[in-house]
Amino acid sequence: ETGVTQSPTHLIKTRGQQVTLRCSSQSGHNTVSWYQQALGQGPQFIFQYYREEENGRGNFPPRFSGLQFPNYSSELNVNALELDDSALYLCASSVFGQAGTEAFFGQGTRLTVV
Amino acid sequence: AQSVAQPEDQVNVAEGNPLTVKCTYSVSGNPYLFWYVQYPNRGLQFLLKYITGDNLVKGSYGFEAEFNKSQTSFHLKKPSALVSDSALYFCAVRDVGTGFQKLVFGTGTRLLVSP
């Protein structure tokens, strides 16, 4: 098991609502990335945070936003939830600038939008 | 843009037989390649990586992968499959060209090992 923990593990929300997902990073890691994994698909990169700033984003709209805190933990916020936002959301921690090191993933948060 | 392809949605193998899960990649520059495994309702677990050096990379749980530059492949292998190896396997490449550490994943291959 990695030291990356995510909360909550499961969540059910109604379309139009807002949701916040949380992630604590592996000890010694300073970068957090978020991925969305829809059913039957591979994880898709949402964005990355380093030094409390977003420094990379995938093809996701602005209603997906995040934060990184001084202890390197992170939040993913999704506003105006849509049915298609139902997915497993994965948080990964890594060390910035070390492309050859592996990322460690949390167990994920399963979000269901109804 | 960096990408990986996993041509098989599912691989079936009998316990004790060797297994191969295929992955091909497309990158500009040197590839940083990874294999992850996902068990039901769990996150991704790192298995192994290729950065540079020997083309045969050894990883966790007896898995290994062979990097082939001429065929742009990075196939995952295990000499003797276990029923407990049944899971979803993802190949990934690190997109270093963007300046950040985005991983680009394949669509995944489900491995089923029968007793």
Side-chain angles (χ1 to χ4, degrees):
Chain A
E1 296 292 330
T2 72
V4 181
T5 58
Q6 293 185 240
S7 62
T9 54
H10 295 84
L11 202 53
I12 299 175
K13 288 287 190 178
T14 302
R15 189 171 52 182
Q17 286 187 315
Q18 179 265 345
V19 68
T20 297
L21 310 182
R22 296 178 175 83
C23 169
S24 66
S25 64
Q26 177 90 5
S27 176
H29 287 186
N30 56 14
T31 301
V32 175
S33 302
W34 287 91
Y35 291 81
Q36 181 195 66
Q37 185 179 12
L39 199 61
Q41 298 183 23
Q44 299 291 316
F45 176 77
I46 302 175
F47 46 52
Q48 173 179 295
Y49 275 80
Y50 170 63
R51 290 185 174 176
E52 303 178 43
E53 292 187 355
E54 181 185 304
N55 72 341
R57 174 178 278 265
N59 294 324
F60 282 82
R63 59 189 185 84
F64 286 78
S65 64
L67 289 171
Q68 186 184 32
F69 301 99
N71 66 354
Y72 308 121
S73 66
S74 177
E75 288 182 354
L76 165 66
N77 299 291
V78 186
N79 294 321
L81 283 167
E82 301 177 358
L83 296 179
D84 285 348
D85 295 333
S86 296
L88 181 68
Y89 288 85
L90 296 165
C91 165
S93 76
S94 58
V95 180
F96 188 81
Q98 296 186 13
T101 59
E102 57 271 25
F104 290 111
F105 284 80
Q107 81 282 10
T109 294
R110 172 74 61 187
L111 173 64
T112 302
V113 182
V114 297
Chain B
Q2 325 282 56
S3 66
V4 292
Q6 296 181 243
E8 303 156 316
D9 290 336
Q10 184 165 308
V11 169
N12 298 304
V13 64
E15 187 173 35
N17 283 357
L19 69 87
T20 298
V21 182
K22 296 180 180 178
C23 172
T24 59
Y25 65 89
S26 174
V27 302
S28 53
N30 294 323
Y32 293 81
L33 297 163
F34 302 81
W35 275 102
Y36 284 85
V37 61
Q38 187 175 39
Y39 295 98
N41 299 314
R42 301 292 296 275
L44 300 176
Q45 294 181 26
F46 169 74
L47 280 179
L48 50 79
K49 65 183 178 185
Y50 174 82
I51 306 303
T52 187
D54 290 342
N55 290 341
L56 186 63
V57 178
K58 294 189 181 297
S60 306
Y61 313 119
F63 283 93
E64 57 191 28
E66 185 173 8
F67 172 73
N68 188 316
K69 187 173 184 178
S70 63
Q71 296 185 5
T72 62
S73 66
F74 188 54
H75 300 333
L76 182 70
K77 301 184 178 186
K78 188 174 183 181
S80 179
L82 299 173
V83 172
S84 57
D85 293 330
S86 299
L88 190 56
Y89 291 80
F90 289 98
C91 180
V93 63
R94 180 150 274 151
D95 191 348
V96 297
T98 55
F100 50 92
Q101 296 172 215
K102 167 185 175 181
L103 283 169
V104 178
F105 286 88
T107 51
T109 298
R110 185 166 302 281
L111 174 66
L112 290 178
V113 182
S114 55

